[in-house]
Amino acid sequence: MTARQPPSPRAMVLDFVAALETAGTELREALPQVERLADLLALARSGQIGRRGRAGGYEYSVHGAGCRLTSSDGVDIDVDFVDGAEVFDLWRLRCYARSLPTPAAHPPEDLLAAISSLDGLLTEVRPGWFAVTRRHTTAVTTN
């Protein structure tokens, strides 16, 4: 049996984007008051939902300026919110990579190169913080 290889940095970033979109879709379906993931923060702060909970097949944990989502298979997707948009940095990408069934440990420079190669899909919203420019999972491929 051959050991499974971790995804390349580019594939891993694309997988993170797809996982974030899937989690957002499932949470919006499970919690009708959530139009965008940033609504979790406002709902938790107002006491309408708990800071920790389960919805749409994900455990969520609202923190500071963001939220960590954990899938049923233990994959962590952590984002902060800036002007209602989900944003992430290299630390969050590395946490995601370590939580994968086949963990990856890519150097920061490889992740930055991968992010740079996805110009048009990702935007640097402030130094070191990135957001998805457009949402369309069908166009996100790992090749």
Side-chain angles (χ1 to χ4, degrees):
M1 181 176 222
T2 305
R4 191 170 181 194
Q5 294 295 314
S8 70
R10 187 174 194 276
M12 197 271 308
V13 172
L14 287 170
D15 289 347
F16 175 87
V17 169
L20 176 59
E21 185 164 341
T22 298
T25 298
E26 289 191 28
L27 283 166
R28 285 188 298 276
E29 289 173 2
L31 298 169
Q33 67 271 46
V34 173
E35 291 182 31
R36 56 189 181 158
L37 283 179
D39 293 339
L40 288 172
L41 189 61
L43 291 167
R45 287 180 175 168
S46 69
Q48 294 177 51
I49 63 171
R51 286 195 159 278
R52 293 176 182 255
R54 187 174 233 347
Y58 288 84
E59 288 183 25
Y60 67 85
S61 176
V62 174
H63 58 72
C67 183
R68 185 180 70 237
L69 306 167
T70 304
S71 68
S72 59
D73 59 354
V75 175
D76 285 328
I77 306 156
D78 194 321
V79 293
D80 272 4
F81 304 113
V82 173
D83 297 328
E86 300 103 17
V87 299
F88 57 91
D89 59 1
L90 294 182
W91 181 81
R92 284 165 176 75
L93 284 175
R94 294 180 86 195
C95 289
Y96 170 80
R98 285 191 303 269
S99 73
L100 294 171
T102 302
H106 301 297
E109 57 273 10
D110 291 354
L111 292 174
L112 284 173
I115 290 167
S116 293
S117 78
L118 297 169
D119 188 41
L121 176 65
L122 300 176
T123 302
E124 190 169 17
V125 295
R126 59 178 156 177
W129 289 86
F130 306 92
V132 178
T133 303
R134 61 183 189 272
R135 297 282 171 126
H136 48 60
T137 304
T138 56
V140 175
T141 62
T142 57
N143 296 331

